[in-house]
Amino acid sequence: MNLGCLYGVGVGTGNPELITLKALRILQTVSVVAYPASEDGNSFARSIVAEFLQSNQIEVPIVLPFKLEKSAQAFYNKAAEELAVHLSGGKDVAVLCEGDPFFYGSFMYIFNRLSQRFTTEVIPGISSVMASAAMIGVPLTYRNDVFMVLSGILSEEVLREKLQVADAAVIIKLGRNFRKVKQVLQELGLVERAKYIEYATMENQRVLSINEVEVETVPYFSLIVIPSQLKELGVWS
């Protein structure tokens, strides 16, 4: 029996119009569609592509604990084995991933478990980093800029060290880490240059200056963009 193909499908940042044509084709032709879901059954990834799914497709929620103190490895093990049953039976499987599958994407953990056993193809998606710069309207980098993507979970010391040598940066995973990140930006004199955005590309998108952000309301889908200074310095070519 022929084995099915495993697809890691990047579905972008939330706006269905930003899904690639290839992702759309695969979404509408595979037998099985899997997606990360919270313990209450909600799935942001599925909501992005809901209008494109077919009624005869098998859906497999990959239930994950969205709490830092709870390991997700056992959940990925279970999901991988469930998907392996479908793949072994000759069914193609698309695993949805917010943003890009290989850029902090949940699909990586399925890939690590199944790609040696089944033919696997990754369909890139628009990441929140690139989408946010476009929505804010700022070029991220010029010429030979050093660009960094940093996690807000990092310590103040590490954030400070990295930002001091970056020409441009994006800080993700804010949420409860926003207060700490803001403190580092203030120390480095980056508050005026930095921009905060939440729910990029979605109807409820908001772009704010750092000082306008209410610390207690910072959602998971938010990040800070620190664009290149070359525009301010008048260097354009």
Side-chain angles (χ1 to χ4, degrees):
M1 179 180 291
N2 293 329
L3 300 178
C5 181
L6 174 66
Y7 295 98
V9 181
V11 296
T13 56
N15 186 333
E17 292 186 334
L18 296 179
I19 298 170
T20 65
L21 291 174
K22 186 170 185 177
L24 179 60
R25 174 175 59 80
I26 290 169
L27 283 172
Q28 295 183 322
T29 57
V30 294
S31 300
V32 181
V33 178
Y35 43 81
S38 61
E39 292 170 297
D40 61 8
N42 290 325
S43 171
F44 178 60
R46 185 192 185 282
S47 71
I48 298 172
V49 302
E51 63 185 290
F52 306 128
L53 300 181
Q54 308 298 299
S55 60
N56 62 340
Q57 289 174 315
I58 299 169
E59 296 192 22
V60 180
I62 302 174
V63 178
L64 299 171
F66 289 94
K67 295 181 179 178
L68 293 176
E69 63 272 14
K70 196 170 183 179
S71 173
Q73 297 312 305
F75 295 83
Y76 282 118
N77 289 338
K78 179 182 177 183
E81 288 312 305
E82 185 175 357
L83 297 180
V85 172
H86 292 294
L87 291 162
S88 297
K91 294 183 175 69
D92 291 339
V93 176
V95 180
L96 309 184
C97 187
E98 299 153 19
D100 182 88
F102 277 177
F103 187 73
Y104 297 97
S106 57
F107 174 73
M108 293 186 293
Y109 304 103
I110 299 297
F111 176 87
N112 290 341
R113 288 163 169 79
L114 295 179
S115 62
Q116 297 301 310
R117 298 165 58 186
F118 304 99
T119 300
T120 303
E121 184 175 353
V122 177
I123 315 304
I126 295 176
S127 74
S128 59
V129 170
M130 302 308 168
S132 293
M135 294 301 100
I136 295 172
V138 291
L140 275 178
T141 56
Y142 292 89
R143 297 172 62 189
N144 300 317
D145 278 340
V146 173
F147 172 66
M148 291 189 186
V149 178
L150 302 170
S151 167
I153 298 174
L154 294 169
S155 68
E156 289 186 33
E157 291 73 22
V158 173
L159 286 169
R160 189 179 300 110
E161 173 190 343
K162 300 297 183 183
L163 288 172
Q164 284 177 323
V165 296
D167 297 304
V170 168
I171 305 173
I172 62 175
K173 300 184 180 180
L174 292 177
R176 70 185 71 176
N177 301 295
F178 180 83
R179 191 187 303 275
K180 171 183 63 180
V181 172
K182 180 179 179 180
Q183 176 63 34
V184 173
L185 295 178
Q186 289 174 326
E187 292 175 11
L188 297 178
L190 294 172
V191 168
E192 293 303 316
R193 195 168 126 211
K195 288 291 184 181
Y196 166 93
I197 183 170
E198 59 185 47
Y199 302 113
T201 77
M202 292 180 258
E203 291 182 358
N204 54 341
Q205 169 184 299
R206 291 204 307 162
V207 178
L208 303 169
S209 68
I210 300 302
N211 289 326
E212 290 178 307
V213 179
E214 297 179 11
V215 177
E216 294 76 14
T217 65
V218 175
Y220 177 79
F221 293 108
S222 62
L223 54 78
I224 290 172
V225 175
I226 306 171
S228 171
Q229 291 190 92
L230 285 184
K231 179 180 178 181
E232 285 80 2
L233 296 175
V235 180
W236 291 93
S237 59

